[in-house]
Amino acid sequence: MPLSLSDPNWYPIASSEDLPFRHVYQGQLLGRELAVWRADDGNVNVWENRCLHRGVRLSIGINEGQELKCQYHGWRYANRSAGCTYIPAHPADAPARRIENRKYPVREAYGLIWSAANDEKPFAPFPGAEGQSWFALRPMPVNAAPEDVVAGLARLAPDDQPADLLPGLTVRLGEIVYFVQPVDAGRAVIRGLLPETPADALAALRHHNEHLTHLRDRLERAAARKPAPEPLQPIYEKVSADLATMPDIAVPRGNTLNVVVSRKWQSADGVIGFELADRDGKHLPTFQPGAHIDVHLPNGLVRQYSITNGPGDLLSYVIGVKQENASKGGSKVLVETVREGDVLAISEPRNNFPLRRDATRTVLIAGGIGITPLLSMARFLDKSSLPYELHYFTRNGESVAFKSELDALHGAVHVHTGLARDAIRGTIDQVLGPHQFANHVYICGPGAMLEMVQETAARLGWPDEAVHFEYFQNDKTIDASSAFDIELARSAMTLHVPAGKTILEVMREAGLTVPSSCEQGACGTCLTTVMEGEVDHQDVYLNKSEKASNTCMMTCVSRAKSARLVLDI
Amino acid sequence: MPNAPDPITRNLWHVVAATDELPLGLVETTLLLDTRLALTRGNDGEPVVWLRRDEEQGDEIDAGTIHDRLPVRTAYGYTWTCLGTPADDLFPIPEFAEPDRVNMSCGSIGIHVSAPRAVENFLDMGHFPYVHTDILGSEPHTEVKEYDVEVSEERDEVLATKCRFMQPRAAKSATTAMEVEYVYRVPHPFCSVLYKSCPEDESRRDVIGIFLQPMTEERCRAHLLQSMIDSTSTITDLRRFQQTIFGQDKPILENQYPKKLPLDPRAETPIRADKSAIAYRRWLSQKGITYGVIPQAS
Ligand code: FES
Ligand SMILES: [Fe+2]
């Protein structure tokens, strides 16, 4: 039976020992090259061995622990999702969400790493696998067709005890099980397992290795007499069309996903931690440091919460919710009515607070619950061994949230408790110091604190581009003085928006049902595609480049600069 | 069986050797577009190129006995030939003729990758901090700032201007980090010329040319030209500097897959920093080049 690219069987592709700490191993299966690496959390990744940017092998990349870094331009890909989290050539931008490398299923068992060309078959142990503590022999590469290698192994059996051919190119000879890894049409690797570690492991390894070397030589001599089989031609999937058109601005049309509250706990007085996980234990989508998710609350409201996780940490998202922040019943519902085991809808992560990783000095300043995005940033910087300082201001009597996570950081973490306003100002002044080249500060906290840091930074000569913050609430005064027309392309309607009324209101009056939630340009629910006309953005949801693209808008607060807007409604 | 080169590629002038390094009266062999070539220089110093038959590298030969010669030109220190019907002109590099410049061919390096991939690498600033660490770039200065790209209709070349990058040691004569400004030209499908702000004289620019000899669709030789306004470094220094740079690129390029340059915009993921590469790929596509590339399926 000829090999097929879509063979759904699981095969061993490496030994567990091939994946030491922070290493990247080059594997091969069915004509495809694979980059195989173990993250610091123990997870093994099997990816297509090719960077999506310019096709450089990821097996020559750098395993940074929870992210893999490509050698050519330093793109980072996250553990588990293979999603790109950082593009150094554009350090201030959040990479498009859809840049995600192809990955293959993986299982580590019996001292071997297993993978398959697709997800069609769940991993199943080979017959008789359970109950033994298997010991892996040295792999033996053979330049011969995998099926010929299987036949050759079977012929090793003594006449009175024929070989047992198991599914998936597997041969059992007595107590030894041999797996043939189909590298390509004309190449294979024999991987053998002994049922237990022999008394003299080294001697056993040597003995079996010699044995297999003879077999290899015989098989290769036979293969040389036959015409070489055509190598398999793997197909490389194309990237999506919106990624190919270069400007990495895609309309952030958020898909929602359902997650289960896997843990809810008191992280500090007044701060409740929520751990949100996929219902089937799969990993969640890639996020970047500083990213947030929209949480759809049982009462219909949508609220934003920052992800506190570190790099490649995708089995759950951890968010922190402040207890008394009960404005409009948002967080209150989460804190009071949502229990462990409940299912919530969340958006895919969005990032309006991207972290540059090209700074010579990064200062993170948090006030109270504002610690959440900065904790994530600190964890990313920590893993990449980049210099940073985290200053966390808490009120008198307020305790430190996420204490154990903060304790696990290696960088400079300073907690400032119960300082009066002036003392806070003085501390910030000192912490920032005069601006120097490639220094950046990130702030998250109450509005008053944000203003204070902005003011201080400006006074010390920090340029705007070096001072980073994000809004979850739109505190700006909305200028609703303009009047203009909107043409609704799909509804075939033209409406007039007078001064003092929002686009959303006008559409509703005309009988259209359009979704909204916060109605202050912060939650993203009313996001609409713009086909023509120039938008007067007044929201805090879209980031700079999304606004500049002029392809989408929030109809609850934003208006038109041009006399007419054409919307995809 | 190798693919026959497309007519555009066949009719181009291709670089095959540094003229000075061609031995007088001895055979040199090479490969161009999957075709075996033999080269030598006659007593007049003029290079002669012909289709190789049974000649071996190092054989003695009298140039006068070679009759079925391929067209030859010498330009920028190199010998160029053509397997089809060549155009009259090779692209211009006017600076080459300026009297106070040090012009030199800095050697050749074989790279197991297609010539267009090597051109793209030459145009690429984003890899400086990672591949040419502490020479042409260094972390954390990884940003590729906005620059301009156009395809000049009248000169039929890709032109990238206002390219700026922070460099620790941009050239042999630079001692401190500075932002350098680059202009890139791609005047030939397999050649590119770079102009870079010169540490010694702000009004003038150092010129570096890379001429790629497509040996097969997946193998090339990079020939380098430097035309510098550098009065302090010796030729050996400058050569060594450029060879270090290309020695660093080689292992990365040889790990690129596929080796041919894919012209389908969806084959890889371009970012704004790759504007010049995108323009280059489009330009090749429009010209109808199919050698060393994976043409876009129509
Ligand atoms: S090829 Fe991997 S980052 Fe560019
Ligand atoms: Fe380079």
Side-chain angles (χ1 to χ4, degrees), chain A residues 51-56 58 70-75 77 88, chain B residues 256:
Chain A
C51 177
L52 289 174
H53 179 216
R54 285 287 179 79
V56 167
L58 287 174
C70 177
Q71 279 269 21
Y72 200 7
H73 307 96
W75 286 25
Y77 293 94
Chain B
Q256 245 177 324

Side-chain angles (χ1 to χ4, degrees), chain B residues 89-154:
Chain B
D89 284 329
L90 190 63
F91 56 89
I93 308 179
E95 294 75 9
F96 190 82
E98 291 172 4
D100 61 339
R101 281 182 183 262
V102 188
N103 286 324
M104 71 194 108
S105 31
C106 304
S108 309
I109 174 167
I111 311 175
H112 201 134
V113 78
S114 64
R117 283 271 197 204
V119 170
E120 228 182 60
N121 174 67
F122 188 72
L123 300 178
D124 174 59
M125 290 179 282
H127 76 286
F128 290 167
Y130 297 98
V131 180
H132 308 297
T133 315
D134 296 337
I135 304 176
L136 297 185
S138 68
E139 285 181 283
H141 312 304
T142 55
E143 182 162 12
V144 177
K145 306 207 177 76
E146 291 295 327
Y147 59 90
D148 295 334
V149 187
E150 59 172 319
V151 175
S152 146
E153 293 269 339
E154 67 168 291

Side-chain angles (χ1 to χ4, degrees), chain A residues 471-478 520-522 538-541 557:
Chain A
Y471 296 104
F472 282 155
Q473 273 171 18
N474 198 352
D475 296 328
K476 298 183 210 163
T477 337
I478 307 293
Q520 50 158 332
Q538 304 202 38
D539 64 284
V540 294
Y541 179 79
V557 290

Side-chain angles (χ1 to χ4, degrees), chain A residues 389-422:
Chain A
E389 301 146 43
L390 172 58
H391 296 270
Y392 179 10
F393 292 85
T394 57
R395 293 215 184 92
N396 242 340
E398 194 180 53
S399 60
V400 168
F402 300 105
K403 175 134 195 345
S404 56
E405 289 82 350
L406 290 168
D407 286 346
L409 295 171
H410 302 90
V413 178
H414 306 274
V415 179
H416 309 274
T417 310
L419 297 188
R421 205 175 152 74
D422 282 348

Side-chain angles (χ1 to χ4, degrees), chain A residues 53 55 57 72-73 239 358, chain B residues 121 124 140 255 257 264 266 274:
Chain A
H53 179 216
R57 285 197 171 91
Y72 200 7
H73 307 96
V239 302
D358 68 337
Chain B
N121 174 67
D124 174 59
N255 274 296
Y257 189 91
D264 183 335
R266 288 178 57 190
D274 301 328

Side-chain angles (χ1 to χ4, degrees), chain A residues 529-542:
Chain A
T529 301
V530 176
M531 301 163 78
E532 253 181 80
E534 202 188 333
V535 184
D536 171 19
H537 293 287
Q538 304 202 38
D539 64 284
V540 294
Y541 179 79
L542 296 172

Side-chain angles (χ1 to χ4, degrees), chain B residues 199-231:
Chain B
E200 297 205 342
D201 180 347
E202 286 198 3
S203 65
R204 309 204 34 208
R205 294 183 159 190
D206 284 337
V207 180
I208 297 172
I210 180 177
F211 311 139
L212 292 146
Q213 171 188 351
M215 303 175 80
T216 70
E217 289 204 272
E218 304 198 336
R219 253 174 75 204
C220 66
R221 241 173 9 135
H223 303 271
L224 287 172
L225 162 76
Q226 290 194 79
S227 178
M228 314 293 264
I229 313 176
D230 179 335
S231 52

